[in-house]
Amino acid sequence: MATIEDFYGSVRNELQSIKDAGLFKTERVITSPQSGRISTEDGKQVVNLCANNYLGLSSHPEVLAAAHEALSARGFGLSSVRFICGTQDLHKQLERRLSQFLGTEDTILYGSAFDANGGLFETLLGADDAIISDALNHASIIDGIRLSKAKRFRYQHDDLDDLRRQLEAADAAGARFKLVFTDGVFSMDGTIARLDQIRAICDEFGALLGIDECHASGFLGARGRGTHEYRGVFGKIDIITGTLGKALGGASGGFTSARAEVVALLRQRSCPYLFSNTVAPAIVGATLKVLDLLEADTSLRDQLEANAQYFRAGLEAAGFDLKPGNHPIIPVMVYDSVRAQQLSQRLLELGVYVVGFFYPVVPQGQARIRVQVGAQHTREQLDAALAAFAQAGKELGITQ
Ligand SMILES: *Cc1c(COP(=O)(O)O)cnc(C)c1O
């Protein structure tokens, strides 16, 4: 019989095998607020190009002031789930405002987008139904789908012919309701899902369409409403999930936005909503301010777009091989995982914080540095980062 000590030994072995495979993740410690330039534990100041802080709102003075105000007026936390005593006027206001912003009927808040996705599929679909999911969808979508009893179909990433084949297969399997679900933006490549075409295919098959807007809400599209706006299908998506933890302030919290009856059923049955604490008042108050800022004008998303274009052009001029695209996620392709790590290491020495991604997060031989530009980056910061990239690229023989 195995002992308790055997269990701990087995956990240590698992950790060692992660290390042996070169896949052990360490956490760098930051000692300043999130911003265009941050301080690290060794007292260095570095340009930060790896936060999801797309609009620079994580430390925006008006957002901080709104958080302080809500903290003073409504308290630190509610010590309750929503349906007992965890709902304040602010929560209801935020749900209304998010619905207006996203072009939907109603919205339900969750502790995170991971929870929103985790509590979605099981609640809405049963064994007679089918979910058709992009192969590269986020882990939280995959987990959420696993929890449901619906039949599962997976189409190859961004492959609309295969989407059609999988919808045919779902019909052949006798599925009652069909839900196609995709990331609006895929975070490793910055690929923007072709929602106009996907919507048309869904209509042909009588399928619902759901999207995860974590890397889009707040800045994609002319008014920053998201991928549906960018692709010309605003108001035509059945279910939108998203996060408050990226562009919309960067603290934490998530949501599902949809038709009123869908949201009503989620409030009755969705486990991460029923059995997990309400979003803290300071976050809710601050997010209301974020929506005020984004609805008042498009200056932040415009600045982000300009910064992303500037940085992309600069990296290209320096001879780097980039995945083409139109999103502030800029994948700098290095291909080899050791060289990707060397490049990120050298860049850190030169004052630029970026992270290398390699297998299994991306396919074998597709190692890269994922740059994420934000509206908060000044020209001076972007130029300093471009100079560092140019130098490190040459030193390591990645560029000529
Ligand atoms: C970040 C992310 C999530 C998780 O968001 P949290 O609110 O941090 O849980 C879910 N889906 C996608 C596509 C994401 O990028």
Side-chain angles (χ1 to χ4, degrees):
M1 200 180 69
T3 65
I4 292 173
E5 264 321 305
D6 290 338
F7 167 77
Y8 293 114
S10 147
V11 171
R12 286 193 299 271
N13 285 342
E14 189 66 33
L15 284 168
Q16 193 55 50
S17 71
I18 296 171
K19 284 181 186 154
D20 293 345
L23 302 175
F24 194 82
K25 290 181 275 299
T26 52
E27 299 172 355
R28 285 188 183 141
V29 177
I30 296 171
T31 55
S32 65
Q34 198 62 271
S35 190
R37 199 174 250 124
I38 54 173
S39 309
T40 56
E41 220 177 6
D42 54 11
K44 272 182 77 164
Q45 293 258 318
V46 294
V47 176
N48 185 17
L49 288 171
C50 54
N52 299 311
N53 187 20
Y54 293 111
L55 296 171
L57 295 172
S58 302
S59 50
H60 189 288
E62 288 189 54
V63 176
L64 295 192
H68 279 294
E69 196 182 307
L71 178 66
S72 303
R74 295 288 185 284
F76 178 56
L78 287 174
S79 315
S80 171
V81 299
R82 287 287 299 277
F83 82 93
I84 299 179
C85 52
T87 300
Q88 289 173 325
D89 49 352
L90 292 182
H91 295 85
K92 298 311 277 182
Q93 276 174 39
L94 180 57
E95 288 173 339
R96 268 198 304 279
R97 292 286 304 279
L98 280 170
S99 309
Q100 279 163 18
F101 189 79
L102 297 168
T104 55
E105 281 183 11
D106 201 0
T107 297
I108 171 175
L109 296 175
Y110 286 87
S112 69
F114 208 106
D115 280 349
N117 286 330
L120 180 72
F121 304 97
E122 181 189 26
T123 309
L124 298 179
L125 299 168
D128 295 338
D129 306 320
I131 301 164
I132 300 97
S133 172
D134 186 289
L136 289 193
N137 274 345
H138 190 262
S140 57
I141 299 169
I142 295 169
D143 278 7
I145 293 173
R146 272 199 200 121
L147 288 172
S148 90
K149 295 194 174 63
K151 302 180 218 312
R152 298 172 213 163
F153 297 86
R154 203 167 63 155
Y155 64 98
Q156 293 188 19
H157 173 53
D158 198 31
D159 179 339
L160 303 191
D161 292 330
D162 197 37
L163 169 60
R164 196 177 276 280
R165 278 191 291 276
Q166 298 307 319
L167 279 161
E168 283 163 3
D171 277 340
R176 178 183 55 162
F177 304 130
K178 299 183 290 290
L179 169 63
V180 172
F181 208 91
T182 179
D183 281 15
V185 173
F186 292 85
S187 61
M188 286 302 134
D189 291 337
T191 305
I192 303 173
R194 291 175 285 166
L195 294 184
D196 45 345
Q197 296 176 53
I198 295 176
R199 179 73 267 179
I201 294 170
C202 286
D203 288 346
E204 213 178 293
F205 283 86
L208 297 149
L209 174 57
I211 59 177
D212 176 330
E213 285 283 90
C214 285
H215 286 281
S217 295
F219 60 94
L220 212 61
R223 295 171 306 155
R225 306 305 165 94
T227 313
H228 54 341
E229 183 181 43
Y230 182 86
R231 291 295 190 199
V233 287
F234 189 79
K236 295 183 181 156
I237 304 298
D238 295 290
I239 298 169
I240 297 174
T241 62
T243 185
L244 308 181
K246 288 179 177 138
L248 300 179
S252 64
F255 57 82
T256 298
S257 205
R259 283 265 288 266
E261 56 269 46
V262 168
V263 171
L265 185 59
L266 290 170
R267 286 193 207 280
Q268 298 304 312
R269 294 261 174 84
S270 182
C271 286
Y273 183 77
L274 290 171
F275 298 105
S276 187
N277 205 27
T278 189
V279 180
I283 293 176
V284 177
T287 310
L288 282 165
K289 174 57 72 180
V290 166
L291 293 177
D292 288 344
L293 292 172
L294 300 188
E295 285 174 350
D297 64 63
T298 59
S299 57
L300 287 172
R301 58 91 45 219
D302 297 346
Q303 184 65 51
L304 169 62
E305 194 169 67
N307 283 356
Q309 275 168 11
Y310 182 78
F311 205 73
R312 196 173 256 283
L315 285 173
E316 260 163 13
F320 284 97
D321 186 7
L322 311 180
K323 282 235 174 199
N326 221 344
H327 191 275
I329 292 173
I330 307 173
V332 181
M333 300 308 292
V334 183
Y335 303 103
D336 178 69
S337 60
V338 174
R339 296 198 352 134
Q341 288 176 80
Q342 286 169 341
L343 179 57
S344 69
Q345 189 52 47
R346 184 65 186 129
L347 283 166
L348 187 64
E349 288 162 14
L350 296 172
V352 178
Y353 188 12
V354 286
V355 175
F357 288 84
F358 38 91
Y359 184 81
V361 178
V362 295
Q364 279 289 9
Q366 292 282 306
R368 69 196 61 182
I369 302 287
R370 181 180 71 174
V371 170
Q372 290 173 287
V373 176
Q376 70 280 13
H377 289 115
T378 62
R379 234 353 116 74
E380 174 267 322
Q381 290 168 355
L382 294 178
D383 285 338
L386 285 172
F389 261 97
Q391 181 183 336
K394 280 214 187 84
E395 282 175 9
L396 293 166
I398 291 166
T399 55
Q400 245 104 75

